[in-house]
Amino acid sequence: MADLETFRREARAWLEANCPPEMRTPMTSEEDTFWGGRHAKFSSEPQRIWFERMRDKGWTVPHWPKEYGGGGLDGEEAKILRQEMAELGARPPLTSFGISMLGPALLKYGTEAQKREHLPKITAGLIRWCQGYSEPNAGSDLASLQTRAESDGDDFIINGQKIWTSYANYADWIFCLVRTDPAAKKHDGISFILFDMASKGVSTKPILLISGRSPFCETFFDNVRVPKAHVVGQINRGWDVAKYLLQHERAMISGMGERGVGRPLGQIAADAIGSDGQGRLDDALLRGQIATFEVDEAALAAAAERMTDLAKAGQGHPAFSSAMKYYGTELNKRRYELLMSAGGIDALEWESTRSREGARPRAWLRTKANSIEGGTSEVMLGIVAKRILDLPGA
Ligand SMILES: Cc1cc2nc3c(=O)[nH]c(=O)nc-3n(C[C@H](O)[C@H](O)[C@H](O)COP(=O)(O)OP(=O)(O)OC[C@H]3O[C@@H](n4cnc5c(N)ncnc54)[C@H](O)[C@@H]3O)c2cc1C
């Protein structure tokens, strides 16, 4: 315990000394996120300084082993670091699907050569990854995927189409599910493979969301040649890797339920609507909704803490991330509904400098996708019914 207290003191002092003041404010726009990658651009000098300091300290991914570019922290130390960063309001220095999705799968299923090749490039922000799972006829029923990988000596030749591939047009590499044995049952015969998006035969076509932004793409593979050595896990056993990765993806997405909008909703509402003589929000209905929301938000934070502690103790349930994904994303959608109600008429402003080009309504519309991406709410509830509650008929 004394060691942990020392670690906390030292971490706090280091963060205080090294986190630029501009990186201690809430993230309010896409530019506030640094994704890394071959074509990475920093949106500000403080963002660059913060990323580089954290990278050099090994704290872009504090809990990964040092030999793969991580910080080598154990579970308790990583938790303390998270708490201290939250206390300071420090932004994550690097966000990437490499950290939240591929990395955990590589640590469990990758060969030593694959770990040494890919993990340090993730922690150093050198390579940006995208996820090639969904296809036009394989979303919730992912195992129906049809993208083919045919054997050709030491390589596979990949043909097919993915859809909803987030940031595929900015990504350097893709982790992709392909069918390597069309004769096998649908969950068998799938492989999990990695390749460079700059490979000959890969192309992307952006798709617009209702927010007017285009964060994702259709992705096409036309005779893309990929070495068999790039398969993670065993050939035809990719479903195991895919499911494991989904657990991490869902846990990561559930985190959006804990992320606020920078200021308490009650304060935002009071600015737009006003307060009564006792300093309370001058709209009893909205006041009640915000209070209920804040209680649910606290409940999610407590459940997340419990999930982390159980996982650390080796007692985590593999399907619990689905419960968290469901709750966290539904909560985030409620948060933005309230934010719109709290903003009064100004919240609808769509195109103007004052509204930062409609940052609020666009963020609100973006949240509508939260309960679809990474698996829909209906599918999450199905998993909870079957695998956690063991309900009859599920
Ligand atoms: C913003 C965003 C980003 C995304 N990013 C990526 C990405 O980077 N990579 C990637 O591979 N995919 C990505 N996706 C795709 C996402 O994983 C799929 O949209 C999702 O799995 C649902 O699949 P679908 O869209 O094909 O819908 P469908 O599976 O066709 O579902 C349609 C409707 O039927 C319901 N339904 C389907 N099956 C069941 C069932 N068994 N029980 C009850 N209801 C059911 C669903 O809940 C839904 O309401 C992204 C999606 C979004 C919205």
Side-chain angles (χ1 to χ4, degrees):
M1 284 312 267
D3 284 353
L4 287 179
E5 272 318 302
T6 306
F7 175 78
R8 185 184 292 281
R9 255 197 328 275
E10 288 174 359
R12 183 179 302 166
W14 189 90
L15 291 169
E16 279 283 3
N18 287 283
C19 183
E22 298 84 346
M23 295 294 106
R24 301 179 190 192
T25 56
M27 296 168 73
T28 54
S29 74
E30 177 73 3
E31 289 75 54
D32 292 339
T33 303
F34 179 63
W35 289 91
R38 285 177 188 142
H39 310 288
K41 282 199 209 87
F42 295 100
S43 62
S44 67
E45 190 55 10
Q47 192 186 59
R48 182 187 66 75
I49 292 171
W50 179 224
F51 164 72
E52 289 179 355
R53 287 180 182 165
M54 287 291 270
R55 177 200 61 196
D56 296 347
K57 184 85 176 158
W59 283 358
T60 49
V61 195
H63 55 287
W64 285 4
K66 280 194 168 157
E67 64 265 37
Y68 306 132
L73 302 190
D74 66 26
E76 283 299 327
E77 290 167 335
K79 185 170 161 184
I80 288 173
L81 181 60
R82 270 198 309 279
Q83 289 168 344
E84 291 301 320
M85 285 181 69
E87 187 64 29
L88 201 66
R91 297 179 181 179
L94 174 68
T95 299
S96 96
F97 296 158
I99 297 176
S100 53
M101 296 196 236
L102 177 64
L106 273 182
L107 283 167
K108 184 169 165 80
Y109 290 97
T111 61
E112 191 53 32
Q114 287 170 335
K115 291 179 201 173
R116 290 195 181 274
E117 170 64 21
H118 297 296
L119 296 176
K121 291 181 185 163
I122 293 172
T123 57
L126 295 175
I127 292 293
R128 183 168 179 176
W129 288 84
C130 65
Q131 177 189 35
Y133 273 31
S134 307
E135 296 183 5
N137 292 310
S140 302
D141 185 13
L142 182 60
S144 295
L145 61 97
Q146 294 299 324
T147 293
R148 292 187 321 281
E150 280 156 334
S151 175
D152 184 28
D154 289 339
D155 300 335
F156 282 118
I157 307 292
I158 299 180
N159 279 287
Q161 183 196 341
K162 297 290 170 178
I163 196 166
W164 321 126
T165 329
S166 294
Y167 306 110
N169 45 346
Y170 301 127
D172 305 309
W173 277 64
I174 185 166
F175 48 93
C176 195
L177 294 177
V178 293
R179 191 159 293 287
T180 33
D181 182 358
K185 280 194 287 183
K186 76 175 182 182
H187 292 87
D188 305 330
I190 291 174
S191 299
F192 185 106
I193 195 164
L194 314 175
F195 52 97
D196 195 319
M197 291 291 280
S199 309
K200 190 163 171 280
V202 179
S203 58
T204 59
K205 194 169 150 206
I207 310 171
L208 275 189
L209 276 176
I210 50 173
S211 62
R213 307 261 187 254
S214 173
F216 55 15
C217 296
E218 290 180 280
T219 306
F220 301 92
F221 309 126
D222 181 13
N223 287 321
V224 182
R225 181 172 287 276
V226 181
K228 286 180 180 165
H230 288 194
V231 169
V232 179
Q234 289 173 37
I235 291 177
N236 294 328
R237 300 293 307 161
W239 190 245
D240 298 338
V241 188
K243 277 192 305 185
Y244 183 74
L245 183 145
L246 277 173
Q247 281 174 35
H248 286 271
E249 178 180 6
R250 288 169 183 164
M252 177 269 290
I253 294 177
S254 75
M256 67 179 53
E258 291 177 73
R259 228 174 287 142
V261 289
R263 294 170 64 213
L265 285 172
Q267 265 180 26
I268 296 174
D271 286 351
I273 295 165
S275 311
D276 66 13
Q278 293 166 286
R280 297 178 312 180
L281 178 64
D282 209 0
D283 178 332
L285 185 60
L286 187 58
R287 197 166 69 224
Q289 287 171 338
I290 291 175
T292 309
F293 172 82
E294 284 176 350
V295 171
D296 292 345
E297 197 181 34
L300 178 79
E305 179 100 12
R306 181 163 168 262
M307 181 171 80
T308 310
D309 288 345
L310 284 173
K312 240 174 13 211
Q315 294 167 12
H317 189 299
F320 196 60
S321 60
S322 296
M324 294 297 288
K325 201 266 168 187
Y326 168 75
Y327 198 75
T329 54
E330 294 296 338
L331 196 69
N332 202 41
K333 289 199 311 188
R334 260 172 71 202
R335 171 184 291 127
Y336 277 81
E337 285 294 336
L338 287 170
L339 187 65
M340 291 303 282
S341 306
I345 193 79
D346 288 352
L348 292 172
E349 213 167 286
W350 186 250
E351 280 170 342
S352 66
T353 312
R354 186 177 78 144
S355 68
R356 292 182 299 122
E357 299 309 321
R360 189 181 293 186
R362 287 177 201 273
W364 162 66
L365 287 171
R366 175 63 182 82
T367 63
K368 301 297 171 197
N370 294 166
S371 48
I372 302 173
E373 56 200 312
T376 67
S377 278
E378 292 78 11
V379 169
M380 294 307 101
L381 289 176
I383 293 173
V384 170
K386 189 171 175 171
R387 301 195 39 215
I388 301 184
L389 301 176
D390 203 12
L391 294 182

